[in-house]
Amino acid sequence: MAFKPFKITPSARRLLELWPLFPAAVYLIGFLIVVVSYLFALSFSFADEHGVTIFPSFESLRAVFAAPEFNSAFVNTIAFVAVGTPLELIVGLALALLVYRSFHLRNIVRSIFIIPLAIPALVTATMLFILFDFPGGHINHLLMGKYCFLPAVLHNPINWRGVKLLALGIALAGKVWRDMPISMLILLAGLNAIDPELFDAAKTMGAGLRQRLWRIVVPLILPSISTVVLLRSLEMWKEFIFPFILAGQNNLLGTLIEILYNNWGNAGEAAVVSLTLVVCIVVTALVYLVFIEFVKKLTARR
Amino acid sequence: MKTRLPPMSSAQRTIWLIGIAGVLFFILAPLYLLVKYSISDSASINTGGAPVPFWPYHPTLINYWYLFTDSQFYKVICSSLFIALGTVVVSMMLGIPAAYVLGRYEVPGRKTLMLGLISVRLFPDISSVVPVTEFFIRFDAQNTYWGIVLAHTLLALPYVIFIGIGSFESIPRDLEQQARVMGASRFQIFRRILLPLSVPGLVAIAIYTFLLSWDEFVFAYFLLGLGKISTLTLYLKQKMTYAPPQNLLATISVCLSLPVILFAMLMQKYMTAGITQGSVK
């Protein structure tokens, strides 16, 4: 039998040239497939009392959506997103406006403003865990007027992590404290793109500080604002560490996943909540993008 | 960029100064208190109703001494270092060649491929951790070093690739073409020209990957639990579970944050260069 030499076609040769890309691509796309397939497989499986796994089954979905713990976590998460997103925007904008102007030590001040981002989230949460301790943390002592420089606001110490609203509030405060530099940097980039002469012109024409802020700054940094709102709202949905350490029994969807998986050993229900979280994030992003497109069209018509 | 803005009135200037001072206070005060707690003696914490002092009655390094004489702490530090360095090695070995190809070659379906590469990171960590843990359990990779390194690589790899692409794209193509004309092979060009020129970017990537693994909590918690292998974040969480002395928590927190802050400060030059490389196209 005649030997037929193996010929590499030009397109195959081109593909072979790309080989260094393949291990990483296989790794990431492989894990993407694992994550998606396991999420669906676990969500639609159910282990009966004999340990036999039934697939497909809607039992895990039914159990999760009927559970009051899920409803409570879902409402808490929505509240977390609804309050946290504008809060991060406002704090980020305030910080950006403060360091926008040139001044001595501006670089040092800006570096200090970025420090919270360098602190691991778990450490920030631990810091708040200590400061808001009950009954003897610094915050309780401050509010009880134990230091001479502040009058008493409280008579008895507050169990911060024991009251739902306060516990979620501290978790939210920690999240905003740690992430505010991100919002600041995005908004600062938007502010730096504005021509400073616009402010001069506006001031010459008699515009006050508030008018300059609302009529010049805000409209011109709208793209940065929309980026902050989108990114921050998605981050708020994803949040786990701060409520995990600080919010006690007041679960968000993230901490509910942990409880279902680690405490109750229920991978199916944990997967259902995980999937719900992904769906919420996708829906938020889509609704937001549609809304932004709508606003753009509306302003273009005007 | 220096901004030339209209000068402020004295009232505006006062408000601005108060704003700057207030923000500096809200950022630095909690950090100061964390460090203060870490050098506090127990009398400064259990005050018996007296206000917790803003400076310890008897500042002490005994908490650090306790930690650094605790063999479990050393084990945890070594585990954290091993996992973080392992993550850097695996992520760079996989990510840098991929970034090189994506940054320097015409890849068919590039946009779709890039979306595919980053897609796994679009999932929240807390959503992807359950399927990944279940998958690892199937292969007995739970509670193993290689399991957690692979999981951290999953988190770091998309960043490595994307920052790496920016680094490689910023190197002029003429250099590569000239080397090719002079007979250099593709590997020689990569090793002798592209790698040395992209060192700042690569250092930035390595530091970022190290820190990502060093302070990662979610995957470590699910994959390692509070079991045999522990990381510094898990050690901190473990201490929190059992009515923790606050000064010890603060000391562990300082130890956990220090490498992050030190790396960020020492390597700022490389980080800035790396980020600039990534942004210039």
Side-chain angles (χ1 to χ4, degrees), chain A residues 244-255:
Chain A
F244 181 60
I245 301 293
L246 297 165
Q249 304 295 314
N250 309 294
N251 286 315
L252 299 190
L253 288 177
T255 49

Side-chain angles (χ1 to χ4, degrees), chain B residues 84-85 87-89 91-92 96 156 159-160 163-164 198-214 263 267 270-271:
Chain B
L85 291 174
T87 306
V88 171
V89 171
S91 303
M92 300 287 275
I96 297 305
Y159 295 112
V160 172
I163 305 174
S198 51
V199 159
L202 299 186
V203 171
I205 295 168
I207 293 171
Y208 181 80
T209 308
F210 181 89
L211 297 180
L212 187 147
S213 172
W214 178 261
F263 261 130
M267 299 293 175
Y270 288 111
M271 301 279 272

Side-chain angles (χ1 to χ4, degrees), chain A:
Chain A
M1 196 173 83
F3 175 70
K4 212 174 179 183
F6 180 68
K7 266 193 173 178
I8 300 176
T9 59
S11 57
R13 188 187 297 276
R14 266 192 61 71
L15 206 62
L16 273 177
E17 275 190 340
L18 305 179
W19 73 263
L21 173 65
F22 298 150
V26 168
Y27 192 84
L28 287 174
I29 293 170
F31 262 109
L32 176 67
I33 293 167
V34 165
V35 168
V36 173
S37 59
Y38 266 69
L39 265 184
F40 278 98
L42 289 167
S43 298
F44 293 99
S45 305
F46 175 69
D48 65 12
E49 62 268 28
H50 306 295
V52 178
T53 305
I54 303 161
F55 178 84
S57 161
F58 289 96
E59 185 52 34
S60 294
L61 267 86
R62 192 203 59 74
V64 165
F65 294 134
E69 289 88 354
F70 174 81
N71 294 333
S72 161
F74 190 68
V75 171
N76 289 346
T77 312
I78 289 179
F80 207 76
V81 176
V83 178
T85 309
L87 201 60
E88 284 216 8
L89 176 66
I90 292 165
V91 174
L93 188 59
L95 261 62
L97 286 171
L98 282 173
V99 290
Y100 173 49
R101 187 175 284 276
S102 299
F103 57 94
H104 286 300
L105 308 176
R106 183 197 191 195
N107 285 344
I108 294 175
V109 169
R110 201 164 48 181
S111 301
I112 294 174
F113 278 19
I114 296 169
I115 286 178
L117 201 55
I119 309 289
L122 189 64
V123 170
T124 307
T126 309
M127 198 165 72
L128 293 178
F129 183 89
I130 295 171
L131 293 181
F132 285 89
D133 186 42
F134 171 78
H138 266 295
I139 303 296
N140 267 327
H141 283 185
L142 264 176
L143 296 176
M144 288 166 73
K146 292 201 173 192
Y147 302 104
C148 55
F149 54 85
L150 206 76
V153 184
L154 299 173
H155 289 296
N156 296 312
I158 295 177
N159 183 2
W160 297 93
R161 295 197 302 277
V163 181
K164 181 180 173 178
L165 206 63
L166 296 176
L168 289 172
I170 301 169
L172 188 61
K175 175 76 178 158
V176 172
W177 188 87
R178 187 176 182 270
D179 288 354
M180 60 190 182
I182 304 175
S183 312
M184 181 195 83
L185 289 173
I186 298 171
L187 293 165
L188 198 57
L191 280 173
N192 281 333
I194 301 175
D195 185 354
E197 285 180 10
L198 277 175
F199 295 107
D200 270 330
K203 198 176 181 190
T204 312
M205 293 167 86
L209 188 68
R210 195 178 299 173
Q211 280 174 314
R212 274 178 276 158
L213 182 69
W214 287 109
R215 298 284 169 90
I216 298 178
V217 174
V218 172
L220 286 175
I221 60 164
L222 258 185
S224 303
I225 289 176
S226 55
T227 308
V228 168
V229 171
L230 179 63
L231 292 180
R232 294 295 90 209
S233 60
L234 300 188
E235 280 299 315
M236 287 288 167
W237 277 108
K238 294 173 173 183
E239 187 45 38
F240 170 71
I241 290 181
F242 287 101
F244 181 60
I245 301 293
L246 297 165
Q249 304 295 314
N250 309 294
N251 286 315
L252 299 190
L253 288 177
T255 49
L256 184 63
I257 293 169
E258 193 275 330
I259 287 176
L260 287 170
Y261 191 74
N262 285 334
N263 295 6
W264 298 359
N266 197 331
E269 291 186 14
V272 171
V273 182
S274 303
L275 204 57
T276 310
L277 190 54
V278 174
V279 171
C280 288
I281 287 172
V282 172
V283 169
T284 305
L286 288 178
V287 167
Y288 185 73
L289 292 174
V290 169
F291 174 72
I292 287 293
E293 278 304 307
F294 175 73
V295 171
K296 270 185 191 166
K297 276 182 190 165
L298 207 68
T299 43
R301 259 186 232 161
R302 283 182 185 179

Side-chain angles (χ1 to χ4, degrees), chain B residues 103-117:
Chain B
R104 309 297 292 188
Y105 284 80
E106 294 284 326
V107 178
R110 191 174 190 269
K111 276 187 182 169
T112 315
L113 187 66
M114 301 264 270
L115 186 67
L117 294 180

